[in-house]
Structure formats: C-alpha cells, structure tokens
Amino acid sequence: MKPHWLSLSKILRIFCSWQHNCIPSTMTDKIMSLSEAAAQLPQIAQLLWSGAVVAVPTDTIYGVSCSVHCEQAIKRIHQLKGRPMNKPMAICLDEVDSIPYWCNTTGLPQGLLNALLPGPVTLLLPKHSRDPLNAHLNPDAHLVGVRVTDHGFVRDLCATMGRLETNGFRSVGHPLVLTSANLSGDASALRIERVKLHSPNTGGRLWPAPLH
C-alpha cells in the first residue's frame, strides 16, 4: 500500500523560522492528506525553496526531502536522521526525461531508463563533469542515486518547483534530496506515525508527535 499522507514537521518550522522569515505559519506544523497537499503544491514548493524539510510519501516508504540547492536544509536532514555527513543521499526527479540534465547517462542502453522508471528503483549514475547539483550534496561521491518514484505527488512537487525556478515556464523538474524518514539505522517508515526523526535543538524530542 502506498503512503497517503504528507507531514510538515513543527520542529522544522522552528528551524526554518529563524533562517527564513517568509515561511508562513499556516503551512507548517501540519500533517495533511494528499488531497490537501495537492491543492497547496505551489505553497509547499515555496516552503522547500525557502529551506524547509518535509516528510513525503513515495511508492515504497516515507521519505524526508528538501531542495537540492539548499545547503542548510541538506545539513538539517543529516542532523534529523543522525546520519553521517559523508553518507550519500539520493535525488528524486519528476520525469525520466529530466535525468540526463542532472546526471551523466552517456553509454546507457537505449530504453533502459524508461524500462526501470518510474518505479521503486534507485539508479547510481555518474555526476556530470560540470555538476549542476549542489556541491554540498555528496561532495566526496562521483555517483549519485536517482529516483523517479511511481507516486504522483512527489513527481508533481518536483515539477512545480521547476516551474517556480523558471517563473512558470516548462523546465526540467527541480531535484529533491530524498532519503528514508527514519533515524539512521532504524527501520523504514511505512506509516506516517512511524516517521520519527531526532532534533538536537529540542532535547532529543522526536517528530512528528504521536497522532491522537
């Protein structure tokens, strides 16, 4: 069963509020249904552009995600998961056709990407020599994990962020950093109430709080 909820964490609201005053309080500290989230895609995309981190459903497990271009948000994911900074994280894109812009696909058999994606597969691909990704994302790695999930919401979010980047014009989707929404070494989260991450700024409290 695919996850059906999107989580925006209150702890991340606290983190973002002193970094990015433009994040509206009405869009943080929430767990919302996918139908609610889909109706607010531009606002959620703007949150990510502003440095927020969100927990999102995918076609496999819940993931935690941020804009690939936000160095502080990338660091925040490592902190929330208790994940070593030198441990690589994957990116997620909206369409298979976006992959060659962000990764080197030279030499791949024709049709291979479309045969595997969208789907529950992470491909390890070489970075471009002039890497368009954030230099702070996996700086010591020559390969990057790439996903195109078979979950419409995440793909729509990548596409919406790409349109924001180009003032509404069609472009390649904006990559989201994507990793599992659990403490490093713990079991993956298949239900929203299992999404638990650590915040050193709140005395070790986990988020989100238990659902009532």
Side-chain angles (χ1 to χ4, degrees), residues 18-98:
W18 55 266
Q19 287 278 5
H20 305 280
N21 293 327
C22 61
I23 295 178
S25 60
T26 55
M27 286 298 298
T28 55
D29 195 11
K30 281 190 177 182
I31 296 176
M32 63 178 71
S33 70
L34 276 181
S35 59
E36 291 177 289
Q40 300 183 64
L41 267 176
Q43 294 94 325
I44 295 169
Q46 190 61 60
L47 275 177
L48 288 164
W49 268 115
S50 299
V53 176
V54 298
V56 293
T58 74
D59 52 354
T60 52
I61 59 177
Y62 279 92
V64 62
S65 190
C66 71
S67 167
V68 77
H69 291 323
C70 184
E71 177 186 355
Q72 290 301 318
I74 292 171
K75 289 181 178 179
R76 186 59 170 165
I77 289 180
H78 281 282
Q79 293 171 350
L80 288 166
K81 286 177 61 69
R83 184 185 183 95
M85 290 298 296
N86 62 353
K87 190 172 182 179
M89 294 190 291
I91 63 170
C92 182
L93 291 166
D94 60 334
E95 300 289 348
V96 173
D97 290 346
S98 297

Side-chain angles (χ1 to χ4, degrees), residues 3-195:
H4 289 289
W5 297 88
L6 169 74
S7 169
L8 302 180
S9 121
K10 68 173 69 175
I11 288 174
L12 294 174
R13 176 181 64 81
I14 294 170
F15 166 69
C16 292
S17 64
W18 55 266
Q19 287 278 5
H20 305 280
N21 293 327
C22 61
I23 295 178
S25 60
T26 55
M27 286 298 298
T28 55
D29 195 11
K30 281 190 177 182
I31 296 176
M32 63 178 71
S33 70
L34 276 181
S35 59
E36 291 177 289
Q40 300 183 64
L41 267 176
Q43 294 94 325
I44 295 169
Q46 190 61 60
L47 275 177
L48 288 164
W49 268 115
S50 299
V53 176
V54 298
V56 293
T58 74
D59 52 354
T60 52
I61 59 177
Y62 279 92
V64 62
S65 190
C66 71
S67 167
V68 77
H69 291 323
C70 184
E71 177 186 355
Q72 290 301 318
I74 292 171
K75 289 181 178 179
R76 186 59 170 165
I77 289 180
H78 281 282
Q79 293 171 350
L80 288 166
K81 286 177 61 69
R83 184 185 183 95
M85 290 298 296
N86 62 353
K87 190 172 182 179
M89 294 190 291
I91 63 170
C92 182
L93 291 166
D94 60 334
E95 300 289 348
V96 173
D97 290 346
S98 297
I99 295 177
Y101 181 85
W102 299 103
C103 303
N104 188 345
T105 59
T106 303
L108 289 182
Q110 186 175 5
L112 177 63
L113 294 178
N114 285 293
L116 295 173
L117 300 170
V121 177
T122 301
L123 300 180
L124 283 175
L125 297 173
K127 293 181 178 179
H128 284 299
S129 55
R130 293 189 175 183
D131 186 11
L133 297 170
N134 192 327
H136 297 280
L137 176 68
N138 312 334
D140 300 323
H142 300 291
L143 303 175
V144 61
V146 182
R147 290 213 60 199
V148 179
T149 77
D150 190 18
H151 196 296
F153 176 79
V154 180
R155 294 170 62 189
D156 288 346
L157 185 55
C158 292
T160 301
M161 292 190 69
R163 286 191 291 272
L164 283 178
E165 192 171 12
T166 57
N167 294 318
F169 292 98
R170 175 72 178 124
S171 70
V172 294
H174 181 89
L176 294 175
V177 176
L178 184 65
T179 185
S180 57
N182 54 270
L183 294 172
S184 187
D186 282 5
S188 300
L190 296 174
R191 298 171 60 86
I192 189 63
E193 58 265 31
R194 299 294 183 186
V195 175

